[in-house]
Structures are given as structure tokens and as C-alpha cells.
Amino acid sequence: MNKPRHRVLLVSSQPIQNTAALRLMAVHPQLDILVAYCSLPEAQTLHTSSLQHSSEFLTQAAFDIPWLEGYPWRYIPNRSPKPNLTKPYGLINPGLVKLMSEYDCCVVYGHAFVSFWMAIAAAKLSRKPLFLTTDATYLEAPEGGNWKIPLKRQFLPALYNQVADGVLVPSSASRHFLESLGVASEKIFLTPYVVDNERIALTAAQTHKAQIRADWGIPEDAVVAIFCAKFIPRKRPLDAIQAFAKANVPNSYLVMVGVGPLDAELKAAAEQLGVADRVKFPGLIKYSRLPEAYAASDLLVFPSEHEPYGLPVNEAMICGIPVLVSDRIGATYDLVISGETGFAYPCGNVEKFAELLQELLSDRDRLVKMGKMAQKRMETWSARENVEGLILAIEKHLNPSK
């Protein structure tokens, strides 16, 4: 007997660069989905207001893979008088209300915009299961505004316990965070934050490592650590350069992939620390070619201080290299198995960062072994697990007897 197909409306502010899970949902025999977008890049709503000058969006141009292919989607016209993605009133999409009537349940990716509350209200009024999502792992905001913390401590449990029928989280870190706030465990469903594992693995396997290193000006026999993130304060790129200099491993190099307002400061620091000849700045690398950069390296370093999840961990491990990350990276809890797939250290502790970096860069064989274990771990952190988590949440509410 065939299982029933669940009609699911997914409401998102804008297209995302990783659509593997959406593409799998589109062909899954138990799902009939539609992704409702409240803005589109070509509509220029992504680049209005202060967002245009935000350092957080410096690398949007790097995502050169298809965002809108392989799954059903619809743009719901934005009626906001001031369209933007920085203010709650920047997205006002009343068409979501009528659309909700056509589906069995609704997934809303957040609660930051008027449009999201329209979808939330429509789902509740029509008595259809409502699932919210969050990747939060702590109450602090990267841009400050910590005066909101007491409000969040009261608001979030009420939202997830009383308004939502379920909460979809991308990591165990988010699950533990919500539980610490008092959100009921049975309401939380793990839907792993994933990338296109197959595409990334294929690109990595086809990489000409020697050529990539030659382009960087790095010897083929060197050991290479790679940093891949925006050059902004919360990513702590300076920590990577300082730790690399302290580690001082012979024939080692650090590749700093990215752009941002700290660019000049980072290059000056490399000069002052005497490692400018071994710290390379290749600039922005297109997302489709990023796996080549990982595959040409031996270790990812990721020292961020505010990173609710951290997709570079997925990407690097799929490419067969281990990771050295700060303990503020949300992906750490599920993917970084200490001594096997990588290591975590206390964020901001450059001494410990350098100690681990020295240990790892001095043992190439260990890096290779850990890289293979990292690849193995990613076999069960894929779009398949993401979709299974969603179906589990949906069936709990649409088929409660099961």
C-alpha cells in the first residue's frame, strides 16, 4: 500500500545556495512540495537598504551554482513599501495567506519578517501543522544588541512550545540550546544542515592538486591549512594567521580564501609576524570551484566566534580533509569527533589553536587518516537525513496514530 503524499508549503525569505535537500524533496514519493520565496535576487530586494553595504553579504557573488533548479518554487510578490532583508517590514507578502489553503502543513524558515507571521497566522487559523526552523545555538547576536537577551529568553520558548507544532533544527547544538530554554524535546526535530555532498565530492575527486598549489605558489610537498570565510571580525581570521605563525611548522602554508574589510589588516599581520611568504590570499573563489581549494589542502581552520552552524565544515570533510574549529561552531557537535575527524578548541584561545595546529601540520599521515574518517562521517549527514527528519516531523502531526 502506497503511503500518502504530504502537501508541504515551505516559506523562505530568499533562495539559498544549497538546494540538495529541496531537490530530494521534489522527487520523494511521500512529499508534494512548493517553496514560496518572498524575494528573489533579480528583483534586487537582496541589495536594498543597508544590506547593500553589509560585510555579511560580501561573498554572495561567489555562489555561481543554480539556486532555482530541480524543485518547484514560486515567487510571492512583495508588497512592502521598502523592500529589504534587514527589517521586519521589508517583506510583506500577503499572497502567502491564500496559498496556505492549498497545503496540508507549512514550514516557515524563521520569524523575522511580517511575511513569516502572515504564514504562521494562516497556518494556525486553518488548523494545519506549523513547523518553524532555527539554527540558533546561543542568545547573543553577532551585531550586539544583547539587551534583547531577556526578551528572547521569554519569547522563544513561548513561540516554539505554544505557537509551533514542531521546530526543525540543523544540528544537535541547536537542539541542546532550545532544550536549555525549556522547549519541549518532543517538539524538536533534527533536519541536518547539508550541502550537495555528491557534487562537492565529484569536484574534489577531479581536482588537479598540483596545479592548484602551483597557482597559489605553494610546493606540491607542502602541508597546507585553509581558512575559508569572509574577512570580518566574527570570523576571527586574524586568529588563523597568529596561530599559524606561532605553530611555525616547516614547509607549511596557510591559504586565506575570502574577502572583506579586514583584508589589509590581515596582510599586514602576516608581514609583521614574518609569515607573509607562507600565507596566501587567493581572493574570492567561486562556490562551484571551492571543493578544488579544499581538496588541494590538508586541513580546514575555522576560528569563528559566532557561527550557529558553519557549512565550511561539511564542505571540507566531504573533500577528505579534517577540521580544526573553535567551540562556537554549531556543526562541531555532530561532525567534529575529537582526534578522528578533527579538533575543537576554546574560541579566541590562540595558544591552544596554535598548539593543535602545530600537532596536526607536523603529521601528514595523521591528517590523511583523519580526512578519510571525515569523509566517512559525511555519508550519514546528507540530504537524505534532512528529508527523513522532515517527514518524521510531518507524520507525527498528520498521522499521530503511527
Side-chain angles (χ1 to χ4, degrees):
M1 182 177 178
N2 293 331
K3 293 183 178 181
R5 285 169 63 87
H6 306 302
R7 296 172 299 167
V8 185
L9 178 66
L10 302 106
V11 179
S12 179
S13 61
Q14 60 182 313
I16 58 173
Q17 68 268 23
N18 292 296
T19 60
L22 295 177
R23 287 185 276 112
L24 183 56
M25 290 179 203
V27 298
H28 198 284
Q30 289 179 253
L31 297 175
D32 179 6
I33 71 162
L34 177 71
V35 185
Y37 286 125
C38 299
S39 67
L40 292 178
E42 52 265 38
Q44 297 302 310
T45 55
L46 293 178
H47 305 291
T48 59
S49 188
S50 60
L51 189 63
Q52 185 176 13
H53 307 289
S54 172
S55 60
E56 290 288 338
F57 288 80
L58 281 169
T59 59
Q60 288 295 312
F63 294 113
D64 61 337
I65 58 176
W67 294 18
L68 298 170
E69 296 179 5
Y71 63 94
W73 62 272
R74 187 184 304 175
Y75 168 60
I76 310 303
N78 182 14
R79 304 306 184 190
S80 172
K82 295 183 178 180
N84 66 82
L85 293 176
T86 62
K87 301 293 183 182
Y89 55 76
L91 294 179
I92 302 176
N93 305 72
L96 291 170
V97 175
K98 182 179 179 180
L99 192 60
M100 184 66 249
S101 65
E102 303 174 20
Y103 291 85
D104 301 324
C105 61
C106 182
V107 177
V108 182
Y109 291 101
H111 57 268
F113 300 103
V114 170
S115 293
F116 289 173
W117 285 98
M118 287 179 167
I120 289 169
K124 299 306 289 184
L125 289 172
S126 60
R127 299 181 182 277
K128 296 182 178 180
L130 167 69
F131 301 96
L132 299 181
T133 73
T134 180
D135 64 356
T137 53
Y138 25 81
L139 290 171
E140 300 90 344
E143 68 278 5
N146 289 334
W147 61 271
K148 297 179 182 178
I149 289 178
L151 300 177
K152 292 179 181 179
R153 201 178 297 279
Q154 298 297 318
F155 170 73
L156 294 178
L159 175 65
Y160 297 134
N161 281 329
Q162 299 172 30
V163 178
D165 293 291
V167 190
L168 310 181
V169 297
S171 71
S172 295
S174 292
R175 172 188 286 279
H176 298 326
F177 168 69
L178 292 186
E179 289 174 339
S180 75
L181 293 178
V183 178
S185 298
E186 62 270 19
K187 284 208 162 194
I188 306 171
F189 298 89
L190 179 62
T191 51
Y193 203 168
V194 297
V195 292
D196 190 337
N197 292 29
E198 293 183 4
R199 182 193 63 79
I200 290 175
L202 178 61
T203 302
Q206 297 174 340
T207 296
H208 297 287
K209 182 176 179 178
Q211 183 58 56
I212 298 294
R213 290 196 170 191
D215 293 342
W216 288 340
I218 294 177
E220 189 174 352
D221 64 347
V223 61
V224 178
I226 185 170
F227 171 99
C228 185
K230 307 175 190 73
F231 294 167
I232 57 178
R234 75 174 176 90
K235 302 288 186 177
R236 301 187 72 95
L238 183 59
D239 285 10
I241 295 174
Q242 291 175 335
F244 177 74
K246 284 180 178 291
N248 196 29
V249 177
N251 199 31
S252 66
Y253 288 77
L254 173 64
V255 177
M256 299 289 294
V257 176
V259 295
L262 298 181
D263 187 272
E265 179 182 337
L266 297 176
K267 291 174 180 176
E271 289 281 357
Q272 293 166 4
L273 293 169
V275 291
D277 59 328
R278 294 191 293 123
V279 178
K280 305 297 182 177
F281 291 87
L284 203 61
I285 294 179
K286 294 291 186 180
Y287 191 76
S288 64
R289 303 203 54 188
L290 199 52
E292 297 176 357
Y294 290 125
S297 305
D298 301 292
L299 174 71
L300 171 72
V301 294
F302 199 15
S304 291
E305 66 182 26
H306 186 97
E307 203 72 51
Y309 184 79
L311 285 176
V313 175
N314 296 45
E315 296 160 353
M317 288 175 58
I318 293 167
C319 294
I321 66 172
V323 298
L324 176 54
V325 303
S326 87
D327 59 2
R328 298 282 283 182
I329 309 295
T332 300
Y333 295 83
D334 295 293
L335 302 183
V336 183
I337 305 171
S338 185
E340 295 184 18
T341 64
F343 285 95
Y345 69 92
C347 183
N349 188 334
V350 175
E351 291 293 336
K352 184 62 176 179
F353 187 1
E355 177 186 323
L356 287 168
L357 195 56
Q358 183 181 54
E359 179 183 330
L360 291 169
L361 295 183
S362 300
D363 192 342
R364 187 190 301 272
D365 291 340
R366 186 182 186 189
L367 286 173
V368 172
K369 182 179 179 181
M370 290 175 66
K372 291 178 180 178
M373 288 189 283
Q375 277 185 317
K376 183 70 175 176
R377 173 65 188 92
M378 296 309 297
E379 291 177 3
T380 54
W381 193 266
S382 68
R384 180 181 61 253
E385 286 73 32
N386 178 285
V387 176
E388 287 174 353
L390 174 63
I391 292 175
L392 179 66
I394 291 172
E395 293 202 329
K396 179 177 179 178
H397 292 279
L398 292 181
N399 300 304
S401 61
K402 292 188 177 182

